């Protein structure tokens, strides 16, 4: 069964930074085949009638670089199969899944099991930097990477600086990225929202800015000692954190 469509006056976003334009587009079996006058000609040969595009948009697929999937196979709320289905429907082409789950992705078996899933959505698996994400002992970095992990990460807080230094010294990650959230759980002290007048007025436990700034500075200083390590940062959530990154000599990639 084939599925081919000719959309008239559909919105097109070619790449980041480009302006929206409208054009006639022919899609055959899920593949963009032609634009403009050529699309009309090919559609006529195929006997495809034009459809109104209304508010539809053709654009590059979205990418989710780091999400958790607590129960990849048995999750009632979400599992790998439902995630792929929803991602496809929502326009995502790539998903990066962090190692936290009911079986922490610090063993080769957990990587291999998920790598066998067939999907049009590209699934990228982060391997655990530490065993169980506990920040106590290193996982087998080289084995995880050799068996399909795209890089190494841990939970949504930064492992102890001593463990990071040990892992960086071993250097088993080679050119693979290591992804961390610069957050200190001890300094956060159970805070729910960044400290501000609004937080205090609402009666929420405040999360001090220092819970991000201090581990961020530590990580950037450590990166100066190991500039060959491809550090990536996630979930930067303060203006001070963004300012520090802008002025950092190593200038690591980060999500805000």
């Amino acid at each position: 069964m084939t599925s081919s469509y000719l959309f008239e006056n559909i919105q097109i976003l070619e790449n980041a930074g480009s302006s929206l334009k409208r054009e006639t587009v022919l899609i055959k079996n899920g593949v963009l085949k032609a634009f403009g006058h050529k699309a009309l000609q090919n559609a006529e040969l195929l006997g495809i009638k034009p459809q109104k595009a209304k508010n539809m948009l053709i654009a590059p697929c979205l990418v989710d670089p780091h999400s958790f999937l607590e129960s990849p196979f048995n999750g009632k709320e979400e599992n790998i199969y439902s995630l792929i289905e929803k991602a496809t429907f929502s326009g995502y082409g790539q998903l990066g899944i962090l190692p936290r789950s009911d079986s922490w992705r610090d063993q080769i078996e957990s990587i291999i099991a998920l790598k066998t899933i067939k999907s049009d959505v590209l699934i990228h698996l982060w391997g655990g930097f530490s065993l169980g994400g506990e920040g106590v002992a290193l996982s087998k970095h080289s084995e995880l990477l050799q068996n399909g992990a795209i890089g190494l990460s841990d939970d949504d807080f930064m492992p102890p600086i001593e463990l990071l230094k040990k892992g960086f010294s071993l250097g088993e990650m080679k050119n693979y990225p290591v992804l961390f959230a610069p957050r200190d759980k001890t300094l956060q002290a159970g805070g729910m929202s960044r400290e501000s007048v609004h937080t205090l007025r609402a009666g929420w436990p405040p999360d001090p800015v220092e819970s991000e700034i201090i581990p961020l500075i530590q990580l950037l200083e450590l990166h100066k000692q190991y500039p060959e390590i491809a550090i990536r940062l996630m979930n930067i959530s303060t203006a001070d954190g963004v300012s520090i990154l802008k002025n950092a000599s190593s200038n690591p990639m980060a999500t805000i």
Side-chain angles (χ1 to χ4, degrees), residues 52-204:
K52 298 294 183 183
K54 298 182 180 179
N55 293 324
M56 291 182 181
L57 170 70
I58 290 179
C61 287
L62 299 170
V63 176
D64 183 349
H66 41 69
S67 286
F68 294 117
L69 186 59
E70 299 285 357
S71 300
F73 295 104
N74 302 315
K76 294 180 181 179
E77 293 80 15
E78 192 79 280
N79 56 51
I80 188 67
Y81 306 106
S82 63
L83 180 66
I84 289 172
E85 182 180 2
K86 292 175 183 176
T88 303
F89 182 78
S90 303
Y92 283 85
Q94 301 185 60
L95 301 175
I97 303 179
L98 292 172
R100 189 178 81 193
S101 71
D102 49 15
S103 58
W104 200 279
R105 207 167 308 115
D106 53 19
Q107 303 295 326
I108 300 171
E109 294 78 9
S110 59
I111 295 286
I112 294 175
L114 282 169
K115 291 292 286 185
T116 60
I117 304 297
K118 303 297 182 183
S119 168
D120 290 333
V121 178
L122 295 178
I123 304 295
H124 305 291
L125 302 173
W126 290 93
F129 186 85
S130 68
L131 292 176
E134 297 176 352
V136 176
L138 295 173
S139 65
K140 296 180 179 179
H141 293 172
S142 60
E143 292 187 12
L144 289 170
L145 296 168
Q146 289 170 10
N147 284 276
I150 63 161
L152 301 170
S153 184
D154 251 354
D155 213 333
D156 56 351
F157 57 89
M158 198 172 84
I161 201 73
E162 297 82 8
L163 190 71
L164 290 179
K165 189 170 184 177
K166 182 179 178 180
F168 290 1
S169 298
L170 290 172
E172 292 184 352
M173 65 280 294
K174 301 186 187 307
N175 296 323
Y176 289 89
V178 289
L179 174 71
F180 298 113
R183 184 172 74 89
D184 188 316
K185 288 200 303 182
T186 305
L187 293 175
Q188 187 181 17
M192 293 172 54
S193 180
R194 287 296 173 193
E195 59 179 344
S196 67
V197 173
H198 302 295
T199 304
L200 295 173
R201 284 175 178 168
W204 294 331

Side-chain angles (χ1 to χ4, degrees), residues 220-240:
L220 291 174
E221 286 299 314
L222 185 62
H223 198 198
K224 290 180 181 179
Q225 300 177 43
Y226 301 91
E228 73 280 4
I229 302 297
I231 288 179
R232 306 288 185 261
L233 303 175
M234 65 175 177
N235 301 345
I236 302 297
S237 60
T238 67
D240 288 343

